[in-house]
């Protein structure tokens, strides 16, 4: 398959940031995109508008590429927009299908990222971008490839949504049965963790004695085997020998392993159960549950209490939760009968999640294989129908600006601040800034649900945008401050709780789902 440099088959428009005085969050002007933080799965999200008369514009169908830290990420512009200097718009010529170009660039994001230069702040120059080589099969084949990859991509996005919905459902059931595990508004007994079962800390047999390792006698679990979403520890590549197992620390099936030593506080508190006997290292504390504790309840308790667990760790450069401190953490301990009822729900939901996760894995493997074959010219397209490109893409050149789509990925715009450095160093100043941003988020909600997780992600992203040279991360105390603000706002009526509506019956009455949503209340 022949290749051509990008500048010979597309026009590259370098972004340029207009004066900040022309930005607004009121919909005045055109949508304004600044970089990777505006990207979603395929199309950018509108967080900000710009009314500058002197600005670089992107048109519907242009490929938007992040050209400044990070480099290489792509989205498709779906409306006339203004782009800042963190982006470039790539406009395909008549011999290049825009969707084909999008999928090619997306499959080569890591390769393009390596073209970025700069010691601390990576960026790719327009000259370098122009020289990126693009495969150029016949236009009809480009359309077939893009259509095929697009269908697989939609299935992948659908599976990810299903997995997130199942996570949200489980959290909703937990909160309905037990309430918030930190606030404990249902008044359950709160006991120290040492009352939940036997607690032990792993260790590392001496590395200088090779007889401690190998021969697959028993898995040696480390913190990277405790992932964010898996109920059980993942298989370990490293094993201890029978000799190493005697010198190490082992735990049987049904125990909870918790990451308690990490370089970042965000890694503290990750937990997973054992479904087999394993050995584990000194960065992990284990709880072998007593008879009055259901392992699946204990796992879910830790999963939905991570910020609280993280707040108990030391505040130094290396985050540590010692066995002594770990044992003294107090957590809610409802009756075992109620724990067992919840565990039945967990088993059912996790069974469905396993099915969807395997389907997602298979689809991602398929997508990767199809991409490689397609862009190398190795894909047989003779049996792939040519889609009706006009109907499928519904393109309008120079379309009028469209409002932000009201989908599940709520766009959050958080205003600039001159007090960022003080906020990073001072808790009171940071709380004041968080309050300011929460109020801005509240004003943008409309009919969309409020999400603490999305707000925290948006706030962390905004910090990185405003002060890219700092590696400051919001922590558990900031998360608790946000939750306190939410509870206070629920109390004063500016936010309200309700069940989600999944549809309507024949008479038009709403059908309510199992999720609890927080939405904007009657009070402004």
């Amino acid at each position: 398959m022949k290749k051509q440099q990008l500048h010979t088959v597309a026009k590259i428009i370098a972004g340029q940031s207009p004066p900040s005085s022309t930005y607004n969050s009121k919909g005045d002007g055109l949508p304004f995109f600044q970089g990777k933080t505006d990207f979603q799965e395929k199309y950018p999200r509108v967080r900000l508008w710009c009314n500058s008369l002197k600005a670089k514009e992107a048109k519907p169908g242009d490929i938007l590429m992040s050209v400044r830290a990070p480099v290489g990420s792509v989205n498709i512009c779906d409306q006339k927009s203004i782009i800042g200097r963190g982006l470039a718009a790539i406009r395909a010529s008549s011999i290049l299908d825009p969707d084909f170009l999008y999928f090619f660039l997306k499959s080569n994001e890591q390769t393009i990222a390596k073209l970025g230069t700069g010691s601390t702040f990576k960026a790719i120059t327009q000259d370098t971008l122009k020289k990126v080589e693009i495969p150029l099969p016949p236009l009809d084949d480009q359309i077939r490839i893009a259509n095929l990859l697009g269908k697989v991509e939609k299935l992948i996005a659908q599976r990810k949504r299903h997995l997130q919905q199942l996570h949200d459902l489980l959290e909703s059931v937990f909160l309905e049965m037990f309430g918030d595990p930190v606030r404990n508004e249902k008044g359950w007994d709160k006991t120290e963790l040492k009352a939940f079962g036997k607690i032990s800390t792993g260790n590392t047999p001496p590395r200088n004695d090779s007889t401690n390792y190998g021969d697959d006698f028993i898995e040696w679990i480390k913190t990277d085997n405790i992932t964010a979403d898996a109920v059980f520890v993942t298989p370990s590549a490293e094993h201890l020998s029978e000799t190493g197992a005697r010198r190490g620390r082992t735990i049987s099936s049904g125990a909870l392993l918790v990451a308690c030593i990490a370089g970042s506080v965000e890694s503290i508190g990750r937990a997973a159960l054992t479904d087999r006997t394993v050995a584990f290292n000194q960065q992990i504390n284990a709880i072998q549950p007593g008879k009055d504790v259901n392992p699946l309840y204990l796992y879910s308790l830790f999963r939905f209490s991570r910020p609280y667990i993280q707040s108990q760790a030391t505040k130094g450069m290396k985050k540590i939760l010692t066995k002594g401190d770990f044992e003294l953490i107090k957590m809610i301990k409802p009756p075992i009968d109620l724990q067992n009822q919840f565990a039945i729900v967990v088993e059912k939901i996790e069974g469905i999640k396993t099915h969807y996760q395997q389907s997602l894995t298979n689809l991602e493997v398929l997508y990767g294989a199809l991409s490689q074959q397609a862009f190398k010219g190795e894909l047989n397209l003779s049996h792939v129908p040519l889609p009706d490109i006009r109907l499928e893409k519904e393109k309008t050149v120079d379309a009028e600006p469209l409002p932000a789509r009201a989908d599940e990925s709520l766009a959050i715009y958080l205003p600039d601040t001159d007090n960022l450095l003080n906020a990073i160093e001072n808790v009171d100043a940071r709380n004041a800034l968080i309050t300011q941003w929460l109020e801005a988020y509240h004003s943008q909600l409309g009919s969309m649900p409020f999400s603490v997780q999305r707000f925290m992600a948006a706030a962390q992203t905004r910090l990185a945008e405003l002060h890219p040279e700092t590696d400051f991360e919001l922590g558990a105390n900031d998360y608790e401050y946000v939750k306190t603000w939410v509870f206070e706002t629920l109390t004063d009526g500016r936010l309200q709780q309700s069940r989600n509506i999944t549809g309507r019956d024949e008479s038009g009455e709403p059908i309510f789902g199992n999720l609890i949503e927080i939405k904007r209340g009657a009070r402004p």
Side-chain angles (χ1 to χ4, degrees), residues 106 177 377:
K106 183 178 179 181
M177 293 182 68

Side-chain angles (χ1 to χ4, degrees), residues 326-355:
F326 186 72
E327 289 178 328
L328 299 179
I329 294 175
K330 288 188 176 182
M331 304 188 79
I332 61 172
K333 192 178 182 184
I336 184 63
D337 290 346
L338 197 60
Q339 295 179 37
N340 290 338
Q341 291 177 33
F342 175 72
I344 293 172
V345 177
V346 176
E347 288 176 340
K348 291 181 178 178
I349 291 178
E350 289 299 329
I352 300 172
K353 281 181 65 177
T354 299
H355 170 75

Side-chain angles (χ1 to χ4, degrees), residues 169-326:
L169 173 60
L170 186 58
E171 184 174 10
S172 178
V173 172
F174 183 94
L175 293 174
E176 185 173 341
M177 293 182 68
F178 306 112
D180 185 282
V182 178
R183 292 179 64 236
N184 191 23
E185 65 269 21
K186 295 200 174 187
W188 304 113
D189 289 340
K190 293 189 78 170
T191 62
E192 295 174 344
L193 279 180
K194 60 185 178 182
F196 281 70
K198 182 180 178 181
I199 296 176
S200 56
T201 302
N203 68 358
T204 299
R207 286 280 190 183
N208 56 10
D209 186 347
S210 61
T211 62
N212 289 324
Y213 296 88
D215 77 19
D216 295 345
F217 179 76
I218 190 171
E219 289 177 75
W220 190 49
I221 300 297
K222 297 181 282 295
T223 54
D224 56 4
N225 298 114
I226 303 174
T227 61
D229 297 317
V231 176
F232 297 103
V233 292
T234 61
S236 174
E238 192 167 16
H239 290 67
L240 298 183
S241 64
E242 187 172 0
T243 300
R246 287 196 297 267
R247 293 173 176 173
R249 188 67 49 80
T250 61
I251 200 80
S252 60
S253 177
L256 185 76
L257 300 186
V258 184
C260 290
I261 300 178
S264 167
V265 71
E266 295 304 317
S267 297
I268 295 289
R270 283 206 319 263
L273 293 170
T274 57
D275 56 357
R276 56 202 184 274
T277 299
V278 297
F280 57 106
N281 75 2
Q282 73 277 5
Q283 294 180 294
I284 298 170
N285 283 329
I287 307 175
Q288 189 76 60
K291 294 181 180 180
D292 58 348
V293 177
N294 185 289
L296 286 173
Y297 164 78
L298 183 60
Y299 163 77
S300 300
L301 177 63
F302 269 77
R303 185 175 184 180
F304 301 130
S305 303
R306 275 191 66 191
Y308 170 65
I309 300 296
Q310 291 166 356
S311 70
Q312 309 300 307
T314 59
K315 309 302 180 185
M317 291 293 291
K318 191 158 191 174
K319 309 303 177 184
I320 299 175
L321 195 53
T322 66
K323 179 174 179 286
D325 291 336
F326 186 72

Side-chain angles (χ1 to χ4, degrees), residues 386-404:
L386 185 66
D388 186 333
I389 200 67
R390 296 296 174 190
L391 290 177
E392 287 234 351
K393 296 184 179 178
E394 300 178 341
K395 290 188 176 180
T396 54
V397 179
D398 291 327
E400 290 300 314
L402 300 175

Side-chain angles (χ1 to χ4, degrees), residues 40 72 83 92 107 206 208 275 277 311 465 512:
Q40 297 187 119
I83 56 172
S107 68
N208 56 10
D275 56 357
T277 299
S311 70
E465 289 175 344
F512 293 97

